[in-house]
Amino acid sequence: MSLSLFLLSLLTLINPLHALPPPRGFSINCGSSNQSTVGGVEWITDDGFTTAGNKSTLRTTPGLMPVLSTLRYFPDTFAHKYCFVIPVAKGAKYLVRTTYFYGAFDGRDGPPVFDQIIGGTRWSEVNTTENYSKGLTSYYEIVVRALGKTMSVCLARNARTTSSPFISALELEYLEDSMYNSTDFDAYALSTIARHQFGHEGRILSYPDDPFNRYWEPFMDNANPIVESHSNVSSSDFWNLPPTMAFQKGLTTSRGKSLNLNWPVIPLPLANYYIALYFQDNRTPSPYSWRVFDVSVNGNKFYTALNVSTVGVVVYGMNWPLSGQTQITLTPKEGSPVGPVINAGEVFQIVPIRGRTRTRDVIAMEELARSLKNPPSDWSGDPCLPRENSWTGVQCSEGKLIRVISLNLTNYGLSGSLDDNIRNLTAINHIWLGGNKLTGPIPDMRSLNGLVSLHLENNQLEGRIPESLGDLDNLREVFLQNNHLQGPIPQNLKNRRGIDIRI
C-alpha cells in the first residue's frame, strides 16, 4: 500500500506548477536527453545522476506536460536496486518528490508495481495502476535529512513486480531548519500522506506561493461553509513556514456548533503520524477577533481551548497513532462568539530510518566502484541497505551500524583496478574477485585484520605481492595464480603455517 500519494489530472498538469525556478534543489526530468524550461523552471536531464536503466519517450498525448513525456525504465532483472545519487549538503533537510506517469511505454496493459528506497530505508511501494486507468499522474513525497554529501533515491523490484520499474521525474527541495523540527530526522523521515488548503477548489498551491515547492491540494467539504480571510498572516510566524495563500480561505460552521471534517479522505494504515493543522480568524482584526475551540482527532483530545486570532496559529502532534478513516473535530468553547474555523493541514507517516552503513565503508565501496570499468549496475546508493537490496556480491554485518564483511564477484567479467581505499573495509572477511580481467597492482591491505580469504586468481594483476599480507593473522587462503605478478613470495607469508597459498 502506498504511504503517500498525490493525484493530479493531466489537464491540471498542462499549466506549469512553477512560475520561477525553485531557490535550491534539483528538478530532474528522467529519461530526457535535453534540458528544458517549463513555466520558468529549468528541468535538467538525469545524466550523471544514474548509470542504470534506459530512456523512453512516450507516444504523443494531447495535453501531456512535456516533463511527463519521457521516463527512465529499468529492465535488468538481476539488479537489486536502481539508484539516482544526488549531491546534497550534509545535515540539511530536503523534500524529495518522485513522479510517475506510465503512458504504456512498454506496451503492457498496466504499470508495474515496485518499491522505492531513500538512502538505505525502504520508503513505500509504488502502485500507479488505479491512477493511470483514470488518466492521473502519481506523486510521492518524503522529508528526510541528508546523512552524507550525497543522497540516493532508488527503485527496486518486489514480489509483485512483473515488468520494468520506471520513473518520470525526481525533485529535491531544500527545507529550512525550523520546518517540522520536532522530528528527530537522524532516526525518522516523514512520508507525506496529505497536504490540503481547505475551502479551495481548482489549482494546486505551489511555487512561487510556497517557496519550498510543496503541493497544497484544494479540499472542499460541502457540509461546512467557506469563509474568506480579511487579513494576511506572516509565514515566518510558523515553524513549518506555510504559504500565506493557504490561509486565504477556510471551513467553518455556525456559532455553537462543532465542525467535523473527514480528513484525510483515504483510510490510513496503522502507524504513527505527524499532524499539523493551521488556523486563522478570517474576520477583520479587532479586539474581538478571536475564536476558542477544542481540537480532537478520532475523539481524542488533540488541543484544548485553542485561541485563534487573525495572526493565525498552528497545532501539531509528533507521534500520533492513526488507522482507518480519520475525523478532525473542532468543538467551540461555551460563549465563543463564532464557530470554529480551519484553513489547512498536513499529515505525514513517520518512517523509521533502518540503520546506516558506516560512512568509511560506503566511501571505500564507492571508490572501488569508480575504479572498476564495469561494476554491477546496482553498485550505487547504500552498499548494504535495505538488506534485500544490497549491492550484488556484497554481504554486510548485522546491527545498527552496518559494515561490509564479504565481497564476491568471482567470474563476473570485471575490468579496471583495485582502488587503494579497499584497505578501509576493516570489517571484511572475504575478498573473492577471481576470474576477472583486473589490472594494476594488489593494494596494501595491512589494515584488514579480519581478512580470512583473498581470491584474486585468474586476473591480469601486475607488480609484487604485498608483504603486508603476511602480517594478517587471520588470513587462511591467498589465491593469486594466473596473474602477471613479479618477484618472490614475501618471506613472512611463505613461512606462515595453516595457510593455503596458490601463486
Side-chain angles (χ1 to χ4, degrees), residues 451-484:
L451 189 63
V452 174
S453 61
L454 176 64
H455 286 222
L456 298 176
E457 71 277 10
N458 302 320
N459 277 286
Q460 300 170 18
L461 296 169
E462 303 168 345
R464 303 177 70 88
I465 301 172
E467 291 188 10
S468 58
L469 293 179
D471 298 329
L472 302 179
D473 294 338
N474 292 305
L475 194 58
R476 296 292 177 266
E477 292 180 345
V478 180
F479 289 9
L480 302 178
Q481 69 271 26
N482 298 324
N483 279 286
H484 303 313

Side-chain angles (χ1 to χ4, degrees), residues 66-240:
V67 172
L68 300 179
S69 64
T70 62
L71 56 81
R72 182 174 286 271
Y73 68 99
F74 304 92
D76 184 355
T77 58
F78 296 101
H80 296 172
K81 58 187 172 187
Y82 323 96
C83 294
F84 295 81
V85 179
I86 304 168
V88 291
K90 183 178 180 180
K93 195 183 306 173
Y94 289 88
L95 172 74
V96 179
R97 179 161 53 237
T98 54
T99 304
Y100 301 94
F101 180 70
Y102 171 57
F105 74 92
D106 55 2
R108 293 175 174 260
D109 294 333
V113 177
F114 49 91
D115 290 334
Q116 55 185 355
I117 298 165
I118 188 83
T121 298
R122 191 175 306 281
W123 165 13
S124 71
E125 186 177 70
V126 176
N127 188 347
T128 65
T129 304
E130 181 179 353
N131 309 325
Y132 177 70
S133 68
K134 298 176 181 178
L136 301 174
T137 303
S138 300
Y139 296 81
Y140 297 74
E141 284 184 356
I142 195 166
V143 178
V144 64
R145 187 187 302 282
L147 300 179
K149 294 182 180 179
T150 61
M151 182 181 297
S152 62
V153 181
C154 311
L155 309 181
R157 296 171 181 267
N158 61 29
R160 303 176 64 193
T161 308
T162 57
S163 56
S164 300
F166 71 97
I167 185 170
S168 303
L170 172 59
E171 299 169 84
L172 262 74
E173 299 291 344
Y174 175 89
L175 301 181
E176 295 292 342
D177 288 342
S178 68
M179 299 173 70
Y180 316 108
N181 63 1
S182 59
T183 302
D184 179 5
F185 283 102
D186 289 330
Y188 302 98
L190 298 178
S191 180
T192 311
I193 296 295
R195 183 185 296 109
H196 285 95
Q197 47 176 337
F198 299 127
H200 290 256
E201 59 183 348
R203 77 178 186 92
I204 291 174
L205 181 64
S206 184
Y207 191 86
D209 298 308
D210 186 332
F212 304 101
N213 198 22
R214 291 168 293 185
Y215 288 173
W216 299 79
E217 296 191 46
F219 184 94
M220 296 294 293
D221 181 2
N222 296 328
N224 296 295
I226 299 172
V227 293
E228 295 196 18
S229 177
H230 293 170
S231 60
N232 292 326
V233 301
S234 173
S235 181
S236 61
D237 291 338
F238 300 83
W239 302 304
N240 295 343

Side-chain angles (χ1 to χ4, degrees), residues 26-30 43-46 49 84 86 168-171:
F26 293 91
S27 297
I28 301 172
N29 185 2
C30 299
W43 288 85
I44 61 177
T45 69
D46 58 10
F49 296 105
F84 295 81
I86 304 168
S168 303
L170 172 59
E171 299 169 84

